[in-house]
Amino acid sequence: MSGRMAQVLALYAGLPASERFHVHARASSAPLLEVASRLPRGTVADIGCGHGLLSALLAVSGSERRVLGVDLDERKVRWARQALAGLPNLTLDVGSVEQLALAHPGTLDAVVVCDVLYLLPEARWPGFLQSVRGLLRPGGRFLLKEVEGDGSWKHAKALAQEWVMVSLLGRTKASGGMVLKSRVDGERLLRDAGFEVREVVGLGAGYTTPHLLYDAEAR
């Protein structure tokens, strides 16, 4: 575990064991440091921030960066606020991408969405991505980390894992989604929403999930 990840995980020490377990599991199962390392300075929004782990990594990596974390799960945001209250450049709120786009139209330097899109009904994906585009200034960066729908055993395992988290344990909120797309479909959706895809990076090495990162720029 890197020093920065250990530093951030220590901030959650005061939370109940069940919440700490969820945060530590997230830290070990997703390439959050790799995602964070690609984001620019300035004002960055973390959409679907959950317990705020990625938001906190972004905040501690530079005091000049302002981080806005939003999530629809009031419980997770409440725990995140308690754990991360000491980070002055991090703001956490209950809300949606649409609400954030109304409050900050065309002003943000970057947006990151990590393991959120596939939880939404497929029909909502274009509107979600267009709202993200509406947040960004021209040339602003958008990092979208999803699970690749590649038909592999990792693909099947990821779906089974999310079924447990969403349907069995109720630890993750979904809105009728659970769809994994191929990288070709992902690139097309981003282009249709007004983005230029700079790079598509597989981050699944060393993980049992086929993590995929789209690095895009607002046109």
Side-chain angles (χ1 to χ4, degrees), residues 119-160:
L119 294 172
L120 301 176
E122 195 172 341
R124 288 185 56 193
W125 291 18
F128 182 98
L129 294 173
Q130 288 163 12
S131 292
V132 171
R133 173 62 189 87
L135 278 164
L136 290 163
R137 60 171 177 77
R141 293 278 296 285
F142 176 34
L143 295 189
L144 174 66
K145 209 297 289 173
E146 284 292 313
V147 176
E148 183 176 9
D150 60 1
S152 67
W153 70 268
K154 289 186 177 184
H155 169 147
K157 171 261 174 189
L159 283 177

Side-chain angles (χ1 to χ4, degrees), residues 8-24 49-53 56 74-86 92 171:
V8 169
L9 288 174
L11 300 174
Y12 293 87
L15 297 191
S18 60
E19 305 304 323
R20 295 199 311 274
F21 175 82
H22 186 84
V23 173
H24 280 257
C49 65
H51 286 84
L53 182 57
E74 295 181 14
R75 178 184 58 82
K76 288 183 179 180
V77 172
R78 183 172 66 251
W79 289 124
R81 283 174 169 169
Q82 179 177 323
L84 307 175
L92 297 161
R171 295 292 302 180

Side-chain angles (χ1 to χ4, degrees), residues 31-190:
L32 299 183
L33 285 169
E34 290 89 339
V35 174
S37 70
R38 292 171 173 266
L39 282 158
R41 304 298 184 185
T43 302
V44 180
D46 179 10
I47 310 296
C49 65
H51 286 84
L53 182 57
L54 178 57
S55 297
L57 286 169
L58 292 170
V60 302
S61 65
S63 59
E64 70 278 14
R65 179 186 280 141
R66 180 188 177 207
V67 183
L68 309 173
V70 297
D71 198 282
L72 292 173
D73 192 326
E74 295 181 14
R75 178 184 58 82
K76 288 183 179 180
V77 172
R78 183 172 66 251
W79 289 124
R81 283 174 169 169
Q82 179 177 323
L84 307 175
L87 298 178
N89 58 333
L90 172 59
T91 302
L92 297 161
D93 286 307
V94 177
S96 67
V97 63
E98 293 84 4
Q99 291 169 327
L100 198 63
L102 289 174
H104 302 276
T107 60
L108 302 192
D109 298 293
V111 173
V112 60
V113 175
C114 197
D115 297 323
V116 173
L117 197 61
Y118 74 102
L119 294 172
L120 301 176
E122 195 172 341
R124 288 185 56 193
W125 291 18
F128 182 98
L129 294 173
Q130 288 163 12
S131 292
V132 171
R133 173 62 189 87
L135 278 164
L136 290 163
R137 60 171 177 77
R141 293 278 296 285
F142 176 34
L143 295 189
L144 174 66
K145 209 297 289 173
E146 284 292 313
V147 176
E148 183 176 9
D150 60 1
S152 67
W153 70 268
K154 289 186 177 184
H155 169 147
K157 171 261 174 189
L159 283 177
Q161 177 179 301
E162 288 305 318
W163 179 85
V164 171
M165 295 299 291
V166 173
S167 302
L168 193 61
L169 300 180
R171 295 292 302 180
T172 301
K173 286 189 175 183
S175 302
M178 303 290 284
V179 174
L180 304 184
K181 288 286 189 180
S182 70
R183 63 180 67 194
V184 172
D185 288 335
E187 289 186 68
R188 175 180 52 78
L189 284 163
L190 286 167

Side-chain angles (χ1 to χ4, degrees), residues 197-219:
V197 180
R198 296 158 45 114
E199 189 178 13
V200 182
V201 185
L203 296 178
Y207 295 94
T208 60
T209 298
H211 298 293
L212 189 66
L213 181 68
Y214 300 91
D215 186 340
E217 185 175 284
R219 294 200 295 260

